[in-house]
Amino acid sequence: MESYEPERLTPVQLAAMRRSLTSGRGALTRRSLLRASGMGALAVGGMATLGACGIPPAKRADAGLASDDHSAKEKVLNFSNWTEYMDVSEDEKSRPTLEAFTERTGIRVKYTEDINDNVEFFGKIKPQLAAGQDTGRDLICVTDWLAARIIRLGWAQKLDPSNLPHAFANVSAQFRTPDWDPGRAYSYPWTGIPTVIAYNVKATGGRKVDSVTQLLDDPKLKGRVSFLSEMRDSIGMTLLDQGKDPGKFTDADFEGAIGRLQKAVDKKQIRRFTGNDYTADLSKGDIAACVAWAGDIIQLQADNPDIRFAIPAAGYITSSDNLLVPAQARHKTNAEKLIDYYYEPPVAAQLAAYINYVCPVDGVREELAKIDESMASNTLILPDKEMAAKSRSFRSLSTEEETAYEEKFAKLIGA
């Protein structure tokens, strides 16, 4: 378990955070923009700065201990999540699956959309976690690299398998054993986030684009290619194309991927590195092909039949957002009941139909087909066996590695 030390973000790490907030996963999605006017009453919480964290000088010895569980007497649950990550009724006045959970269990869920960026959110909760205090949250949803850090620091409560029968039985094989939480002792995935290749078939003249090599070397795509400004996605996809495993790569492998991308930058094959702002250029055809997030592509295809995607033969990167119970949370059992509830296939299908990311729950296809047959057959939501077999995860990084790699990547993309 890591010792806790004060963490000061380097300028490069701060720049990476700003990229995520303005154009990456922390930015408003297309659906967010369309629905923003109607979501105000459902969104609670706000932004907090990293600069005023008041971080204590060292980790307390008891920081990772669980508090007494008050679930039996207090039928409440405080759940922090990302925006647009929960199903909403047609009139946008309720959250159907959460309301059904409350009706079944009597547990009232205070649902807060206060996660806009992993680094920014960690800045909110770190002072309390380091001091061994309750964060006021019983359940949080964070991306795998941050989940790994929270677990290493001893700031997540170990889950009770007896409260998670559906989750234990139904979590998909590709999400079952991440290197940072083997066997899912502390976490369960909320969604999978595939990084794929997308292209505008009209802009490519009818040609399919299905490899990173093609993106980097095809002269017919010169100046009309984009990669993502998130390091793990762009480097991970390049490592795979070079025959390297993103789950086991070395410093030399990372340097090789950086060099490969740098050559494409130097010869102006790559137009730019983007967050999810690539979507407008891809739809218009200014970008012919790119490395993209699957959730964006599903939404783009609804409006533009020219948008296609491809899974490279070399494989693709999948990250995940994960549910954890913070140390000192008051309602651990209530949180476990909610986790398990979302691993029941009918509930998982209802959620997947709304958020359009990979569903990590086995046995959901038939239930999703009852809602929308096209979604049930969409491999970006429910990967088939062939696609799932090509999924790879970017390995956990030490603090030193993350700093060094982000610095080199920032230099590459001109951040």
Side-chain angles (χ1 to χ4, degrees):
M1 196 175 289
E2 284 186 4
S3 298
Y4 178 73
E5 297 178 356
E7 296 184 57
R8 294 187 179 278
L9 296 178
T10 67
V12 170
Q13 288 172 317
L14 285 169
M17 183 189 77
R18 285 193 294 270
R19 288 199 304 274
S20 183
L21 283 168
T22 56
S23 60
R25 291 210 45 233
L28 286 175
T29 64
R30 171 182 171 276
R31 184 166 61 194
S32 299
L33 292 170
L34 290 173
R35 298 171 60 87
S37 61
M39 291 295 290
L42 292 168
V44 184
M47 296 287 287
T49 63
L50 286 172
C53 288
I55 299 169
K59 175 186 172 184
R60 285 175 42 141
D62 63 348
L65 298 179
S67 66
D68 293 335
D69 192 352
H70 299 265
S71 295
K73 295 181 178 180
E74 299 175 4
K75 295 295 185 180
V76 296
L77 169 63
N78 297 307
F79 182 7
S80 284
N81 206 348
W82 298 73
T83 59
E84 295 294 326
Y85 241 18
M86 182 63 71
D87 56 300
V88 177
S89 62
E90 288 293 327
D91 62 8
E92 300 181 353
K93 293 181 179 180
S94 66
R95 300 191 183 278
T97 57
L98 283 180
E99 290 193 354
F101 174 77
T102 298
E103 290 174 7
R104 180 196 296 186
T105 65
I107 298 169
R108 180 174 55 85
V109 182
K110 180 182 178 183
Y111 185 77
T112 308
E113 293 181 319
D114 63 342
I115 304 180
N116 300 285
D117 173 84
N118 286 288
V119 176
E120 178 267 335
F121 181 69
F122 191 43
K124 288 182 181 180
I125 64 175
K126 183 162 54 177
Q128 294 101 317
L129 291 172
Q133 299 171 352
D134 180 13
T135 66
R137 299 166 174 88
D138 301 302
L139 193 63
I140 61 175
C141 183
V142 294
T143 305
D144 38 23
W145 67 265
L146 180 54
R149 175 171 292 185
I150 290 172
I151 292 169
R152 285 199 307 269
L153 288 166
W155 294 345
Q157 296 193 43
K158 193 168 186 178
L159 302 174
D160 183 350
S162 67
N163 291 328
L164 297 158
H166 296 98
F168 182 80
N170 294 336
V171 63
S172 299
Q174 74 178 99
F175 297 103
R176 189 173 287 274
T177 55
D179 67 350
W180 46 269
D181 188 17
R184 292 291 181 179
Y186 293 89
S187 69
Y188 271 91
W190 182 249
T191 56
I193 309 164
T195 302
V196 300
I197 291 176
Y199 60 101
N200 184 319
V201 70
K202 185 176 181 179
T204 64
R207 294 183 305 121
K208 183 177 183 179
V209 180
D210 61 3
S211 72
V212 170
T213 291
Q214 194 174 355
L215 290 176
L216 296 177
D217 294 336
D218 187 341
K220 294 182 179 180
L221 298 177
K222 184 175 181 178
R224 298 188 297 149
V225 168
S226 68
F227 275 66
L228 292 168
S229 58
E230 298 285 351
M231 181 266 290
R232 289 168 176 81
D233 295 299
S234 288
I235 294 295
M237 292 291 281
T238 305
L239 285 168
L240 284 167
D241 191 69
Q242 294 178 307
K244 306 296 183 180
D245 184 349
K248 299 177 181 177
F249 69 90
T250 64
D251 286 348
D253 296 333
F254 183 87
E255 293 287 354
I258 286 283
R260 181 85 171 92
L261 290 169
Q262 187 65 60
K263 288 180 181 178
V265 170
D266 293 343
K267 67 181 183 181
K268 302 188 185 307
Q269 179 78 6
I270 296 176
R271 179 169 181 163
R272 61 192 182 105
F273 290 83
T274 76
N276 62 6
D277 50 328
Y278 66 84
T279 55
D281 286 343
L282 179 64
S283 189
K284 290 187 295 185
D286 293 339
I287 291 292
C290 60
V291 174
W293 287 306
D296 291 335
I297 302 311
I298 294 171
Q299 294 181 34
L300 285 177
Q301 286 178 326
D303 295 328
N304 188 339
D306 293 328
I307 302 301
R308 310 288 171 84
F309 77 93
I311 303 300
Y316 66 102
I317 291 291
T318 300
S319 57
S320 57
D321 284 333
N322 307 274
L323 301 172
L324 291 87
V325 178
Q328 305 300 328
R330 289 176 60 88
H331 308 109
K332 175 174 176 284
T333 299
N334 290 346
E336 290 167 339
K337 288 181 179 179
L338 186 69
I339 294 172
D340 197 61
Y341 169 74
Y342 278 101
Y343 272 79
E344 296 178 19
V347 181
Q350 193 170 346
L351 180 68
Y354 183 84
I355 64 176
N356 297 162
Y357 283 92
V358 167
C359 180
V361 181
D362 278 345
V364 79
R365 189 178 306 277
E366 182 177 334
E367 296 295 335
L368 188 56
K370 296 176 184 177
I371 301 171
D372 189 322
E373 184 65 45
S374 66
M375 287 188 179
S377 61
N378 191 327
T379 54
L380 293 181
I381 298 175
L382 296 180
D384 56 23
K385 289 184 179 180
E386 181 181 1
M387 180 173 170
K390 294 180 180 179
S391 172
R392 298 291 182 271
S393 297
F394 200 92
R395 71 170 174 82
S396 301
L397 301 179
S398 67
T399 300
E400 294 76 15
E401 285 178 324
E402 184 169 6
T403 298
Y405 292 168
E406 285 286 6
E407 286 178 352
K408 290 174 181 177
F409 186 69
K411 183 178 179 181
L412 167 72
I413 69 176

